[in-house]
Amino acid sequence: MFGGGSVPTFGLWYDFRQRRPFAQDYRSFYAECLEEIQEGEGLGYDAVWLSEHHFVDDGYLPSPLVVAAAIAARTSSLKIGTNVLLLPMHHPLRVAEDAAVVDLISGGRFVLGVGLGYVQHEFEVLGFERRYRPSLLEEGVRVIRQAWETGRIGFEGKRWRFEDLPFEPRPGRRIPVYFGGYSEPAVDRAARMADGFLVGGRKPPEQMHAWLREALERHGRAAGSFPFIVSTTVYVGEDPERAWEEVAPCIAYQASRYAEWGTDRGRPKPDPVRPENLPPERYLVGTPEEVAGRLVEMHRRAPYDHLCFWARLPGLTHEQALRNMRLFASEVAPRVREALAG
């Protein structure tokens, strides 16, 4: 669904959360985000991606497949993916059922992106052993693919065992399954089992791309047919200083919460990240010319097939999100495509 050309496509990434204290009620906030996604399709974005976390006070999206179905019903060409669904905290057959339904509603536009997860309280509350994450992920993917492809659920594994019963409705096609991650074992797992790789911002894309090429070669797979998806932060403005002032508090909040969630109980909580302490060079914030130039350079170092960015960082207004999306679509994406098409 992605890749196969020298010019990348672009997408939007959503987690449906707000920075506390909330500026608006959930219903209107969700309506705004869905409106942004519909406009994104009209602006020429290729995909929308949905993230997942549980039991946090800022409303982080807990149900990406439910929202994926809502987006599928409101759009006609936009690809819809999870980036990522935390598979070790789900029953794989329920994921198989819901993902198949989303794909049917969308007319074959869905991508199931999965990852390990890491937050201690999520695993504890949902009743899964965090130490078994790798085997839960791998067996879960095997269960899902078998159900889709054969219409039967009989399975005997280390983590899951099911009586041989029928599985319907089936999606009628091979839904792509992408893996996300940041470590060399995660990259190797993706090269061995997945249909594509989703990388976030914890490590430089060129490092992840190099690891992926090595792993694909090790497993006898062609890099040219294995999508490499970069997920990052982009915020564009005609005045770069104003753009940074608007978005830096949102980035700092996001970084602080991720660091907090990644710290296990009983360990000291990290200090909140302050906007003035952020390294601006890590984030794609600036004028259209500046952001386009950096995206072109990134592609030359790590040829991504698709790049998505947080469309509604926690704290951005609806108007700011739309302005960023529109400016990227009209001024950044064409520059990147023109520079890389030659």
Side-chain angles (χ1 to χ4, degrees):
M1 295 181 76
F2 300 92
S6 61
V7 179
T9 58
F10 298 102
L12 306 171
W13 195 15
Y14 278 85
D15 57 17
F16 282 78
R17 63 170 157 170
Q18 303 181 65
R19 194 171 71 202
R20 293 183 61 84
F22 291 168
Q24 64 190 115
D25 62 90
Y26 281 125
R27 182 179 298 177
S28 65
F29 180 71
Y30 268 59
E32 287 181 353
C33 291
L34 291 170
E35 179 186 318
E36 292 160 16
I37 291 165
Q38 287 180 274
E39 176 154 343
E41 181 176 50
L43 290 170
Y45 287 95
D46 190 63
V48 61
W49 301 89
L50 305 167
S51 190
E52 174 191 11
H53 275 295
H54 298 270
F55 316 120
V56 288
D57 59 5
D58 62 7
Y60 203 116
L61 179 64
S63 305
L65 294 177
V66 174
V67 173
I71 294 169
R74 287 167 168 81
T75 57
S76 59
S77 61
L78 201 65
K79 299 180 183 73
I80 306 160
T82 50
N83 184 6
V84 289
L85 181 139
L86 307 174
L87 186 57
M89 290 185 279
H90 290 269
H91 192 298
L93 288 173
R94 291 294 297 118
V95 173
E97 289 175 330
D98 287 350
V101 169
V102 171
D103 197 62
L104 292 168
I105 293 170
S106 71
R109 292 182 280 135
F110 183 65
V111 177
L112 179 64
V114 298
L116 289 176
Y118 60 91
V119 180
Q120 182 181 34
H121 74 253
E122 293 178 325
F123 281 92
E124 291 176 348
V125 172
L126 292 171
F128 293 94
E129 286 280 356
R130 189 170 60 167
R131 59 184 171 146
Y132 297 151
R133 290 178 300 165
S135 56
L136 284 166
L137 180 80
E138 294 195 18
E139 282 196 12
V141 169
R142 288 169 55 200
V143 167
I144 290 166
R145 282 179 168 156
Q146 175 185 298
W148 288 342
E149 293 167 10
T150 70
R152 307 296 301 184
I153 67 167
F155 187 85
E156 287 284 338
K158 185 188 296 185
R159 306 294 170 214
W160 297 105
R161 294 173 178 81
F162 306 119
E163 181 184 352
D164 188 21
L165 297 171
F167 179 93
E168 298 291 346
R170 294 161 65 190
R173 72 177 186 112
R174 182 183 170 92
I175 297 175
V177 179
Y178 292 1
F179 285 14
Y182 306 97
S183 66
E184 285 193 84
V187 172
D188 187 80
R189 186 181 300 113
R192 178 165 47 86
M193 292 187 65
D195 301 309
F197 188 65
L198 298 153
V199 58
R202 294 190 186 180
K203 287 189 172 66
E206 53 267 33
Q207 180 179 357
M208 302 303 296
H209 188 263
W211 283 352
L212 182 62
R213 289 185 66 88
E214 292 170 3
L216 289 169
E217 183 176 352
R218 191 162 56 246
H219 291 286
R221 303 186 67 179
S225 58
F226 194 91
F228 179 67
I229 314 296
V230 171
S231 314
T232 188
T233 298
V234 173
Y235 196 70
V236 190
E238 298 294 356
D239 181 341
E241 291 184 1
R242 180 183 172 191
W244 180 252
E245 288 174 2
E246 289 178 352
V247 79
C250 308
I251 297 172
Y253 172 85
Q254 184 186 58
S256 296
R257 297 312 303 271
Y258 280 136
E260 176 188 333
W261 300 342
T263 304
D264 284 354
R265 190 182 303 108
R267 304 182 107 183
K269 295 293 184 184
D271 292 332
V273 178
R274 301 179 63 83
E276 59 268 27
N277 295 332
L278 290 169
E281 66 278 2
R282 280 193 58 190
Y283 306 98
L284 294 163
V285 179
T287 66
E289 296 85 355
E290 291 169 342
V291 172
R294 292 181 62 188
L295 287 170
V296 169
E297 180 58 30
M298 180 193 296
H299 190 273
R300 288 173 175 156
R301 296 194 315 267
Y304 53 88
D305 298 290
H306 177 83
L307 181 141
C308 64
F309 59 87
W310 293 113
R312 186 78 181 262
L313 280 162
L316 286 184
T317 67
H318 183 48
E319 292 72 23
Q320 288 171 328
L322 287 171
R323 187 176 69 233
N324 182 45
M325 288 168 49
R326 291 164 181 164
L327 197 54
F328 184 95
S330 64
E331 301 293 334
V332 177
R335 284 183 167 92
V336 176
R337 294 188 183 111
E338 181 179 359
L340 296 175

